Amino acid sequence: MAGKIQLPPFITSLSAKLLVLTAIFVLLAEILIFAPSIARFRLVYLQEHLADAHLAILALDATDDMMVSEDLEKELLSHVNALAVALQRPGQGKLKLMSSAEVEIDATYDLREESFFGLIKDAFVALGQTRHRVLRIVGPSPKNEDVLVEVVMSETPMRWDMYEYSWRILALSLGIALMTAALVFISLHWLMVQPLRRITRSMIRFRDAPEDATQIIRPSTRTDEVGVAESELASMQVSLQSSLGQKTRLAAIGTAAAKINHDLRNGLATARLISDRLNRSEDPEVREVAPVLLAAIDRAVHICGQMLNFSKEGSPQLDIVNFDLHELAGEVADTLQVAESVDIKVQNHIPPGTSVSGDWEQLYRVFENLARNAEQAGAKTAEIRLQTELDCLIVSIADDGPGIPPEIRSNLFKPFKGSTRKNGSGLGLAITRDLMRAHGGDIWLDVSELGGACFCLELPIKSSVSSSKSQMFG
């Protein structure tokens, strides 16, 4: 069915990709947050043990000999969850509480020397341990920064607390990631995916029926990028539909011209023979009107030929040969010089030996057409010059005529629209542009130093080799 769009399965759809990417990015952010969080958890854990150790060792201050019983010492150490504690005040000796069993310390951490990244590293070292370690922790008491406290403790209880904290963070992160992903998925599906599907459906429907005006998308009232895309798509569809309509009409004209061209040219040829006989008549009145009739017939034949050539589909077929561009321009100048119906002097300033690769006949048509256009516009002189650029040859044909009126310059190379003459077909410049583009070049209007029009022809150097200097020749 026209306009029906086959959506991909959810697992490979844009929506699923957005969902997965959002969850991954949120989890990545949570991982980046987890690293300092677990380091902070370990630091607080150790600081709390230092505070508990400070409180426990204060029991020694309540005795006269700074000693407690063995049972009370074990109870205090059990409260701190430590194997030994020590406290030192400024200017005083060290107070200690320790168990009777000797322990081997595996690592010592001085909280006064820890840095941000050092705490993160120590936290992940603790999480990655697989054996039981005994740690010696040194740092100022959270109760009094002037008091230095030492704690000898087992790392295992702290590691299990860190594991439990990590699992809580993981569960919370997964919940946040899924919730965020769902909200982002819903938002992007509403803001982007649905409008994209609407645009795609419109493109498919328009592709299936480009002549149907109802298939042109109706832009929404959105002012963001999606709204701009919808407006531009609608504008493009309207322009394309108009162009297709014009192409269809031109194709119909071309088909009709091709069918009647043969019979029409035969009829015009017969009329021209009769006109030639009239031109030789002894009647002065007949001899006076005969040239006008001949010119009208020649113009009709020329227009029929132009319409037939323009109506042919595809790019012009070229017969590429190497030739001297100076000789081609000279032949055009000589032909127009001897033609009785043409009153223009063509000056060939292309230096001899300018070798190009192209279709002689088609480029001859281009040069002759531009020169005849100049003469029909009222010019008496036309100059053909050459300029060599880095990657192309620029041939300029300038005249001293009245120039191109500003109101038709925008349609100058459009068929049936770009004629500067009242009875012109508007096909000459359109055909000239097609021929130049078939050669890989182009044509454009420039400013003439003679006061009239100046058409510039571009021929790529990749298909042209010039022996002339890189300058304008006078």
Side-chain angles (χ1 to χ4, degrees):
M1 181 183 297
K4 183 175 179 58
I5 179 173
Q6 184 65 36
L7 297 177
F10 178 78
I11 192 171
T12 59
S13 66
L14 178 61
S15 302
K17 295 176 181 178
L18 291 173
L19 183 65
V20 172
L21 287 175
T22 303
I24 291 175
F25 291 152
V26 172
L27 285 176
L28 180 61
E30 291 293 340
I31 291 174
L32 296 177
I33 295 174
F34 171 75
S37 297
I38 193 65
R40 177 66 181 173
F41 178 86
R42 176 178 174 274
L43 177 62
V44 171
Y45 184 94
L46 297 177
Q47 289 176 339
E48 288 178 351
H49 274 63
L50 292 178
D52 292 343
H54 186 184
L55 293 176
I57 210 167
L58 288 179
L60 297 178
D61 288 337
T63 62
D64 296 334
D65 55 359
M66 297 294 176
M67 296 183 63
V68 295
S69 64
E70 184 177 348
D71 293 338
L72 179 58
E73 186 176 37
K74 291 180 180 180
E75 186 175 352
L76 291 174
L77 291 174
S78 176
H79 174 74
V80 180
N81 196 16
L83 302 176
V85 298
L87 181 146
Q88 185 174 9
R89 297 187 181 94
Q92 298 183 12
K94 182 180 294 188
L95 301 177
K96 298 181 180 180
L97 287 175
M98 61 175 50
S99 62
S100 58
E102 294 185 0
V103 295
E104 182 179 353
I105 297 175
D106 297 296
T108 299
Y109 294 99
D110 191 339
L111 301 185
R112 296 171 298 178
E113 300 176 355
E114 291 287 354
S115 62
F116 175 79
F117 293 104
L119 288 171
I120 294 177
K121 183 195 71 172
D122 294 340
F124 281 97
V125 169
L127 286 172
Q129 288 296 324
T130 57
R131 65 186 184 88
H132 174 74
R133 291 200 309 172
V134 175
L135 307 180
R136 175 174 173 265
I137 309 300
V138 180
S141 171
K143 305 295 182 181
N144 187 346
E145 293 185 356
D146 295 331
V147 176
L148 187 63
V149 181
E150 297 182 20
V151 176
V152 178
M153 55 178 287
S154 172
E155 186 183 42
T156 302
M158 180 183 68
R159 185 165 62 249
W160 284 109
D161 287 346
M162 292 173 67
Y163 286 156
E164 184 178 354
Y165 175 80
S166 300
W167 282 112
R168 290 199 303 268
I169 291 294
L170 176 61
L172 179 62
S173 299
L174 287 175
I176 294 176
L178 292 177
M179 182 178 296
T180 304
L183 293 176
V184 171
F185 168 77
I186 294 173
S187 301
L188 292 179
H189 188 79
W190 174 60
L191 290 172
M192 293 182 59
V193 177
Q194 285 186 345
L196 182 60
R197 290 178 177 175
R198 178 171 176 263
I199 292 174
T200 305
R201 290 191 184 97
S202 175
M203 294 170 64
I204 294 176
R205 289 195 297 265
F206 187 81
R207 178 201 63 191
D208 294 336
E211 300 86 1
D212 189 354
T214 61
Q215 303 303 328
I216 297 176
I217 189 173
R218 294 183 179 180
S220 63
T221 57
R222 295 175 58 165
T223 58
D224 55 9
E225 290 82 356
V226 173
V228 173
E230 291 175 341
S231 299
E232 291 299 321
L233 176 60
S235 177
M236 182 192 69
Q237 289 175 335
V238 171
S239 299
L240 182 58
Q241 192 173 83
S242 176
S243 298
L244 288 174
Q246 184 181 19
K247 294 293 184 182
T248 301
R249 291 191 293 271
L250 290 177
I253 293 175
T255 301
K259 291 180 179 179
I260 68 174
N261 183 72
H262 178 71
D263 294 336
L264 182 59
R265 288 173 70 92
N266 287 339
L268 291 173
T270 302
R272 198 181 196 293
L273 291 175
I274 296 175
S275 299
D276 288 337
R277 296 181 62 183
L278 292 176
N279 195 33
R280 294 191 297 271
S281 173
E282 296 180 357
D283 189 336
E285 294 183 358
V286 174
R287 291 173 62 86
E288 182 179 356
V289 299
V292 178
L293 180 59
L294 284 172
I297 294 174
D298 287 341
R299 186 162 54 252
V301 172
H302 180 67
I303 292 176
C304 288
Q306 282 188 324
M307 292 185 64
L308 180 62
N309 292 331
F310 187 77
S311 65
K312 293 179 180 179
E313 295 184 358
S315 301
Q317 298 297 319
L318 303 181
D319 182 14
I320 303 298
V321 295
N322 293 321
F323 58 89
D324 189 343
L325 191 62
H326 170 80
E327 294 182 0
L328 183 145
E331 185 169 329
V332 171
D334 294 341
T335 301
L336 296 179
Q337 185 70 29
V338 299
E340 295 182 358
S341 60
V342 179
D343 183 18
I344 188 173
K345 182 179 181 182
V346 179
Q347 299 177 3
N348 178 17
H349 295 291
I350 297 179
T354 302
S355 177
V356 299
S357 179
D359 189 310
W360 169 282
E361 295 295 335
Q362 301 290 17
L363 290 178
Y364 182 93
R365 288 180 60 197
V366 170
F367 280 54
E368 183 185 30
N369 183 50
L370 292 176
R372 286 182 178 272
N373 283 352
E375 187 272 338
Q376 292 168 358
K380 298 300 181 181
T381 302
E383 295 182 353
I384 304 178
R385 299 178 181 272
L386 177 70
Q387 180 180 357
T388 303
E389 302 292 345
L390 291 177
D391 56 351
C392 65
L393 299 177
I394 304 296
V395 179
S396 62
I397 302 178
D399 63 65
D400 59 354
I404 306 297
E407 60 271 14
I408 69 170
R409 291 179 182 176
S410 59
N411 296 321
L412 195 58
F413 298 101
K414 295 181 180 179
F416 306 111
K417 294 183 179 181
S419 177
T420 59
R421 305 189 309 277
K422 182 178 179 181
N423 297 322
S425 65
L427 289 174
L429 289 177
I431 295 174
T432 298
R433 183 185 61 177
D434 289 345
L435 292 175
M436 292 306 301
R437 290 183 173 178
H439 280 82
D442 208 345
I443 180 175
W444 66 88
L445 180 65
D446 204 348
V447 179
S448 172
E449 296 180 357
L450 301 180
C454 177
F455 287 93
C456 294
L457 309 174
E458 175 188 340
L459 286 172
I461 283 183
K462 65 181 181 180
S463 60
S464 305
V465 180
S466 174
S467 61
S468 60
K469 297 182 180 180
S470 179
Q471 60 181 1
M472 294 295 292
F473 291 90

